[in-house]
Amino acid sequence: MPIFRYFMFVGGALLALLLAANFVLPAPPAVQGIATASNDPPPIRIRSDRHLPERVVLDTSQPTIAAPAVQTAAVAAPQPVQASASPALNEMSAKARVRETFAQFIPSEPKSAATAVKKVQPKRKIARARPAQPTGRPMMLVAQQPHFGFFNMTW
């Protein structure tokens, strides 16, 4: 039980030191000059130079003023004019009309044969796998020390 003996000796030494300090050092002075009935601290009052804006008073006793009713006229949307459209186009949906337009599209300048051919990229080289144990010897793993300081220098 060496720990129990340690605590007994160190605890006894600290207790003896505390009693010696209490005997040698003077007692703290008594607090005087507080004229309060209880031990409450005096109230702290903070004054500020900044003031809030004045209070806004809303008079709700008078009736509210309602805005006059505005008369609006309904206007029908104009119908698109399709003078040159055939009756077959009028029956088609918008998606079908767009598809038909792209089907009839002819590009103004055809691509030349030189730009139409894709460039063949060279085949990428792939690293070959090394054998696990070269020359029949077992591999040895070595641990490195961590680097401290500037420029990865060890000291």
Side-chain angles (χ1 to χ4, degrees):
M1 295 221 141
I3 289 185
F4 181 70
R5 285 179 39 198
Y6 170 77
F7 281 121
M8 287 299 294
F9 283 119
V10 172
L14 289 176
L15 183 63
L17 193 65
L18 184 65
L19 292 174
N22 189 23
F23 180 73
V24 172
L25 296 175
V31 179
Q32 297 176 0
I34 298 178
T36 58
S38 65
N39 291 333
D40 294 336
I44 298 174
R45 295 193 175 102
I46 299 174
R47 296 192 59 155
S48 176
D49 292 340
R50 296 183 182 181
H51 297 288
L52 295 175
E54 293 183 18
R55 182 179 295 181
V56 177
V57 178
L58 299 175
D59 186 15
T60 58
S61 63
Q62 299 201 3
T64 57
I65 300 172
V70 178
Q71 295 179 356
T72 57
V75 178
Q79 296 293 330
V81 178
Q82 296 179 355
S84 64
S86 66
L89 280 178
N90 289 339
E91 295 175 5
M92 292 172 42
S93 68
K95 190 182 271 188
R97 276 186 259 150
V98 170
R99 194 178 317 121
E100 185 68 26
T101 303
F102 278 117
Q104 295 176 3
F105 177 70
I106 299 173
S108 60
E109 184 178 312
K111 292 184 178 179
S112 65
T115 59
V117 177
K118 288 185 177 180
K119 293 183 180 179
V120 178
Q121 294 182 349
K123 196 171 188 180
R124 295 183 182 174
K125 294 181 181 179
I126 300 173
R128 295 183 184 176
R130 293 181 13 201
Q133 295 181 4
T135 65
R137 291 183 295 176
M139 294 184 82
M140 184 181 351
L141 299 176
V142 180
Q144 287 186 335
Q145 291 182 341
H147 298 287
F148 300 102
F150 298 111
F151 306 111
N152 291 333
M153 297 180 353
T154 56
W155 297 7

